[in-house]
Amino acid sequence: MAGEAQCLGYAGCNFLRQRLVLSTLSGRPLKIRKIRAKEEDPGLRDFEASFIRLMDKVTNGSRIEINQTGTTLYYQPGLLYGGSLEHDCSPSRSIGYYLESLLCLAPFMKHPLKIVLRGVTNDQVDPSVDVLKATALPLLKKFGIDGESLEIKINRRGMPPKGGGEVLFACPVRKVLQPIQFTDPGKIKRIRGTAYSVRVSPQMANRMVESARSILNKFLPDIYIYTDHMKGVSSGKSPGFGMCLTAETINGTILSAELASNPQGQGAAVLPEELGQNCAKLLLEEVYRGGCVDSTNQSLALLLMTLGQRDVSKVLLGPLSPYTIEFLRHLRSFFQIMFKIETKTPEEEHVGGEKVLMTCVGIGFSNLSKTIR
Amino acid sequence: MEEKEKKKHRAKHSGPKAEKKRKRYLNDLGIGDEENARKRNPKAFTVQSAVRMARTFHRTQDLKTKKHHIPVVDRTPLEPPPVVVVVVGPPKVGKSTLIKCLIKNFTRQKLVEIRGPVTIVSGKKRRLTIIECGCDINTMIDLAKVADLVLMLIDASFGFEMETFEFLNICQVHGFPKMMGVLTHLDTFKNNKQLKKTKKKLKHRFWTEVYPGAKLFYLSGMVHGEYQKQEIHNLGRFISVMKFRPLTWQTSHPYVLADRMEELTNPEDVRINPKCDRKISLYGYLRGAHLKNKSQIHMPGVGDFTVSDVSFLPDPCALPEQQKKRSLNEKEKLVYAPLSGVGGIVYDKDAVYIDLGGSHAHEKEEEEVRPNHELVQSLISTHSAIDVKMASSKVSLFMDSRPLGSEDVGQEFVMPKEERQIDLKTGRVRRKALFEEEEKENDDAVSDEEDDQEEEEEEAMSEDGSDGDDEDDAEEESNRALLREEIALGRAKRLKTEVAKEEAVNELPAFADSDDDLEIGSEGEEGKTAPEENEMEEDDDDEEGEEDEQRTYENESSDSEFEAASKRVTESKQYEINNEDTEMRSQISDHSLKRKAVLTTDSGNCTAEEASESEAENSLDEGDDEEGSHDELEVEESNRKGFRHTQAKKADSIRQTKVKAVEAEDDDDDVENLLRDEEEYEEKIDFSADTTGALKWKEDLTQKAAQAFLRQQRSTPNLRKLIYGTAVEDEDHKSEDAGDELGGLFRVSRPDKASKQKANALDCSKFLIEKPQDWDLEEVMSSIRDCFVTGKWEDDKDAAKLLEEDEELYGDFEDLETGVVHKGKPAAEGDESGSEEEDEDGKISKPEPEEEEKKKERIDKKRKLKEMFDAEYDEGDATYFDDLKEEMHKQAQLNRAEFEDQDDETRVQYEGFRPGMYVRIEVENVPCEFVLNFDPHYPIILGGLGNSEGNVGYVQLRLKKHRWYKKILKTRDPLILSLGWRRFQTIPMFYIEDHNGRHRLLKYTPQHMHCGATFWGPITPQGTGFLAVQSVSGTTPDFRIAATGVVLDLDKSITIVKKLKLTGFPFKIFKNTSFIKGMFNSQLEVAKFEGAAIRTVSGIRGQIKKALRTPVGAFRATFEDKLLMSDIVFVRTWYPVSIPTFYNPVTSLLKPAGEKNSWSGMKTTGQLRHERGIKLKQNKDSLYKPIVREKRHFNKLHIPKALQKALPFKNKPKNLDKKGKTPKDQWRPAVIREPHEKKISALLSALSTVNNYKIKKAKVKHREQLKEYLKVKQKEDEQKFKRQKEAKKKIYRILGQREKKRQKSSLKGSSKGEKNM
């Protein structure tokens, strides 16, 4: 019998997104137990529930079973369907939380995905929509996922705690991905960024820009930071400001850093100057880590390498984040794929810390959802 | 007399010879050649019409681009698996004989009985796996999917049979492997002309099926039950030089054609429950793509399984090592066919089996051959009573024939294209395929020429072959004795012997050699020469060999086994001691990894050891090591002392590594950094070697490998361990886990270090920085200074430096505008001075590296110049296609080179088991029937499944009924599909897509058209071909393949609808509005259909308006015209159809032996009705009855009086009165003649009679004459027509040839013109 593939079992709510995404892509069912079993408020949180709902929306024929307390989740993946969708994200996590997973899934849909996500666009926890727009999309392009329809558009900005932002994400579908050889990050040629402010004084953005420039100018003259002040209906429901910076190299690598102000009514007020400086320093930190892919998108790059054709792909990364390390483990259990990991100490002195060269052979994944005529 | 006989010589005026002569003559005159003509009259050859020129140019370009295939990355492994040669054909056509002959041809061994695949070495670079394909359609389907080359045997004395065409169709669907036809039974033709004709006919038919020009081999006759040696030799050569195109399905899925099966189930479990699921291991060459452990596989005929373990074994039929010689020697001509009991030595995971001939093995075989013995045996072994047997017996008329039932005897098949014939000799029923004569007379000339050519080729081949044969014969004689022994070996029973690992190395010269190479590379500095090493090793091996023999003798007692085991343990310990000594001196961090290699490598143990030796270059005490290996005879004593010591050490090291794994990276990194400083020098050498150029990657591979190994040993970081853990630990852990759970009562609670603490942490992908650096400090800032374009660049990218180099290259130039003369620096001087400076600085005088450097620089310079030249002249016109091809080529090279320097163990972890490896696959939960009813004649295939290919869902197909299949297919009838690896029964629904995208259900497949089909079954990638059969059991006279097609779409839901018409009747009619009842059952239903279009049967259109309150379900509707009460109103709706979720894999391999071709799944309703004699209950109303029409009676036409009056006379009814009797007075009087008058009249009548007769006679005569004349005329006409036709034909042929010539010349002219351009 073509019995269902072996069910994979996990415990705990951490890395829920990874697991669900990989389960969907590999077609293997999944069972997660002990989700916050020992906490006072057991079970899945609202943002996780919202994520599961989103998964249900983009797939067809998925079976999701959750027990009464919400501590156990069984997920049997269906086929990725896509199409034009809308989703209201939970305001307790930002849209980035949802978008990161959609970026992994979108190229393998039946119909090109065009989804409107509503919720918090920028917060302090997750990578913001601005960063994903600046870093993840160029990364997708490297794998042959490009075209006019690949876009992330911020219609409205929403800051925590209430949100009210709106983002449009569209992605074309591909049958197969190209392998990449991405081992030379190149030198940084320019720094760009956005300083945004909603429902606060528009001057805030300028103050942030000023302070960030003061630090970055020591390294590079080509710096331009856009100020983005949204007003009226497109400014969401809560006040706040923040900034994200990206450094682009001559080889098209994009490194990023971001910082946002404390949400209204939580923590002390942050000075925009301080925020700008800290953000610039974070960017330098990221430059120090280096690699061809910035730290938030490591897992996306590795996933797309895995899902490539049966060819060797290589990518040079900075130090692996804990999230990526767990992701690698998951890749092994879902796709039986192991990466060859070589640490590389740069030969020259002034190019930052140690790098990791990741090499793998793709599994020969092909988009099973796409229709042929 | 002689003079009389002599004929005068007549010079030829036509034909090739005359043509040649004429040409020569013209040449002599200097006007004949076209080249000359071009010279003589150049104007005639210039462009005369630009349009025409453009057209020809376009055409040539079109032809050129048509040849392009989309380039794909070449993923064929360096050492490819054996080519699968499937020998297929109807029964009794000579398949087994051919296989035997081929094996004999290649290996000089004679196999008596062939079961399952036979792998042989056919040349220096090619191995073949030959397998026979029976006529069971299951086997045919399975083998078509794995075949690389198909040898299609055709009985020339009979012609094509249906099996051939079925197989061809199967192949077409599943990717077309290379085909080669082989005609046999050609000796039955007595008439040479007949033979020639048949050959040609069959060839052309074969060409239409495969491709024009496909190779068809002729095996003329048998000599002593074998084909002629020369012909087989030629066939073998054709096979061994054949090239293959990669097939999509095969290259994208791993698969194994198993050549060995073993059961691993615990015998106790079997004893308790003989029907329990089994655990088996299957062996075979891995083909296609990389196979990963724990992946899903499908075994056609059995089902889906998950691989529980894979391991690779030493190649049992290895290719000879690379040596510069032309042919194989006798030792290298290997055969491997474990299912047939041939193959010498068989490797298992932990043991080696050697086939030894039992003393009675030979006799047994001979006895069994005799038929009368068989009879006696069968009588002895009867279990059932004779009357029971009688009841169930079938009559088999001849040996080997299918038992005949009554239906087979009496039937006659009248078919246009297929014919069932009963062979007179064997009584076998054959399914002849007949075709109309397609060949025209005109073709004869051409094809004859081709035939001649082919024959010439073959003759040439045979000459070649015979030379080789002579040599071979000599060899053969000398080796005959040896051969006999080997054969005996092959037939024998197996005897298990435990052999130490060293012997495994001994058996595998390739392995040992490669190790030596490594050592040459790495130990060059040591001053120790490789041959010495080899000798030493051989010594070792000899001793160990003795030891092994001893051990085998000991084995018979049970105690000795334990001893051997303990010995092995101690041996491995011994290695560890060596390792650890060396390691302690060199490094600390390598500990665990190396030991792991020792532990996990099985036969590759030696490598690890030697590698470690080489690593410890200087510090290694050779004497110690030698002692260590020599002393193994007394190893038990000596090691038991050291045992505790080593154990303690081991524990230590384990603790160390574990600590390391747990600790943060930083500590490790520090250590590594320290270590790396020492190794920097070596690594630099590596890098320089790497950068010398991509083309040179092949140089010094061994050395590179050795170096890379070292490098890898050092730098393979603990990062890997941190992420994946060590493979061994991992597996142990898992198995323990499983054991714990099975144990039930108690469970060891083991904290899951890494994931436990994080299990419920925040799920965030951001990599937070714990302790940010202070970016205001100068040194911190300078640490990333060079990451920016403003920082320092590498030498090869720095603009200033590049400019300098350019200057050196081009030297001096003069700026013409300003008139300034720039002088280039004398490069050599600068270099020299630089190097001198270096020398002074370093105070080391090394002349060689300096020179080398110079040389390198020169080479670099040259390369750069060449690149620039290429860019300017060669690559300028590189097309998109060329670029794409180049890219693919680069990727392929990278794929090959990336993991080349790693040993197989680690390589397997990264890329999976690569094709070409001989693997052992363990599978659990296999139905017991598979083992119990195992029949080696049926191929066992393990087909790897991609991601989610093991899942089920709805699959949409584009399907077409095969044009040779007699019936049409019915929706909802079960059908057996062959799709991907699988064969399964399912219930498809046929549909057709309407122009608005609606999928409308069809009851039957259309006759000659594609239609859609959807079924519930395994998900298979789009674009995969499939075929359908209605049953796989037995044989039918008809063509068995019912339909073919391709997968279009996969989904978890479907959208097929069927038409549903709801009818209603008017119960109240106003003008255009009517009330309709009987269509719906409730107001709600009506509400759902408000606004829907309705129609009456008579064609009046309308619309549903609103529901009425009473009666329930009635509604108001408006129409375009007034209805009648007798009208029927209907609304057309679409009803979604559900597909039965029925998926039933064909488990033909589970059937008992001899019944494997009798699998029958779900039956169709029709079959069931037929079997049980259930008649279809028909609706009486829809039956046809004889139409009885009443005779219609029409009333008389009655025209009113008034109207009559008004009518014109013409139209007035004429009421004519009936005539009465003529009155007497109007009677005419009778004439009475006089005698004279009578006479006259008599005479006249006589005369007229005569005259009439004469006229009649003349008429007849005239008619005959006319007939004659017409006949003659027709003949003449015919002849005339014939003459005209022939004349016309001649003219047209001449015209045609002239046209062709002109085209050819114009093409040639254009291509030449192109070149000139």
Side-chain angles (χ1 to χ4, degrees), chain B residues 95 386 1045 1126 1149 1220 1241:
Chain B
K95 297 186 294 281
I386 192 90
S1126 61
L1149 279 187
S1241 69

Side-chain angles (χ1 to χ4, degrees), chain B residues 785-1042:
Chain B
R785 186 64 80 184
D786 286 347
C787 290
F788 296 88
V789 283
T790 48
K792 211 181 90 195
W793 290 68
E794 293 100 66
D795 286 350
D796 55 331
K797 283 175 194 159
D798 197 3
K801 207 132 201 184
L802 284 178
L803 212 63
E804 232 169 71
E805 269 179 28
D806 275 0
E807 236 165 55
E808 279 172 19
L809 279 182
Y810 294 112
D812 36 18
F813 69 94
E814 185 181 346
D815 194 335
L816 287 176
E817 276 181 27
T818 54
V820 181
V821 178
H822 298 264
K823 285 257 166 134
K825 268 189 262 170
E829 265 183 39
D831 278 1
E832 270 177 12
S833 63
S835 57
E836 272 168 19
E837 277 169 23
E838 272 178 22
D839 281 3
E840 281 164 15
D841 288 344
K843 305 240 171 176
I844 311 157
S845 57
K846 275 187 188 167
E848 288 107 12
E850 188 189 313
E851 247 168 50
E852 262 177 32
E853 215 164 271
K854 261 195 232 163
K855 204 174 170 188
K856 226 175 84 186
E857 235 162 63
R858 242 177 286 138
I859 288 167
D860 267 3
K861 221 181 264 176
K862 255 188 190 169
R863 189 165 49 86
K864 221 168 215 178
L865 275 173
K866 189 167 170 13
E867 266 172 20
M868 272 188 325
F869 181 84
D870 284 352
E872 202 167 336
Y873 293 102
D874 287 355
E875 285 157 22
D877 57 344
T879 55
Y880 172 72
F881 181 73
D882 292 335
D883 290 344
L884 207 62
K885 237 161 95 177
E886 180 62 24
E887 208 175 290
M888 297 296 177
H889 182 66
K890 263 186 194 162
Q891 183 68 49
Q893 264 192 348
L894 181 76
N895 289 352
R896 294 225 172 100
E898 182 57 36
F899 296 105
E900 202 167 46
D901 47 6
Q902 263 145 351
D903 64 296
D904 278 345
E905 282 294 333
T906 35
R907 205 174 159 180
V908 154
Q909 287 185 339
Y910 290 134
E911 43 170 27
F913 294 83
R914 60 181 182 285
M917 279 178 157
Y918 191 75
V919 292
R920 170 186 189 273
I921 296 175
E922 269 178 39
V923 183
E924 281 172 56
N925 301 327
V926 181
C928 64
E929 287 88 352
F930 177 72
V931 179
L932 296 177
N933 304 331
F934 182 71
D935 183 358
H937 293 284
Y938 284 80
I940 304 157
I941 294 162
L942 300 163
L945 298 173
N947 279 297
S948 50
E949 276 176 38
N951 294 354
V952 281
Y954 293 105
V955 183
Q956 270 180 31
L957 312 165
R958 187 191 295 133
L959 171 139
K960 191 179 177 190
K961 187 191 79 78
H962 200 284
R963 66 200 158 97
W964 292 357
Y965 193 69
K966 283 286 162 60
K967 294 178 268 184
I968 52 174
L969 305 173
K970 193 177 178 209
T971 283
R972 255 183 229 285
D973 262 358
L975 200 61
I976 295 168
L977 296 187
S978 156
L979 173 65
W981 293 122
R982 300 165 201 271
R983 287 176 274 127
F984 56 88
Q985 195 179 33
T986 187
I987 297 180
M989 305 280 259
F990 305 115
Y991 66 83
I992 200 154
E993 190 168 315
D994 287 344
H995 52 268
N996 58 358
R998 178 197 299 131
H999 291 165
R1000 183 160 52 82
L1001 186 78
L1002 293 177
K1003 278 186 178 171
Y1004 296 92
T1005 54
Q1007 272 280 5
H1008 302 295
M1009 210 169 74
H1010 282 287
C1011 70
T1014 302
F1015 69 88
W1016 194 81
I1019 281 179
T1020 318
Q1022 308 90 333
T1024 313
F1026 78 92
L1027 68 93
V1029 286
Q1030 277 212 305
S1031 111
V1032 288
S1033 57
T1035 50
T1036 49
D1038 296 340
F1039 193 70
R1040 283 181 284 187
I1041 295 166

Side-chain angles (χ1 to χ4, degrees), chain B residues 611-626:
Chain B
S612 67
E613 270 177 33
S614 62
E615 203 173 278
E617 293 154 355
N618 300 326
S619 56
L620 185 85
D621 195 346
E622 275 181 32
D624 277 358
D625 196 44
E626 269 182 30

Side-chain angles (χ1 to χ4, degrees), chain A residues 219 288 349-352, chain B residues 775 777-787:
Chain A
F219 295 94
Y288 181 80
E349 267 181 53
H350 307 298
V351 287
Chain B
W775 286 102
L777 291 176
E778 192 57 40
E779 56 259 41
V780 178
M781 268 164 66
S782 75
S783 70
I784 58 162
R785 186 64 80 184
D786 286 347
C787 290

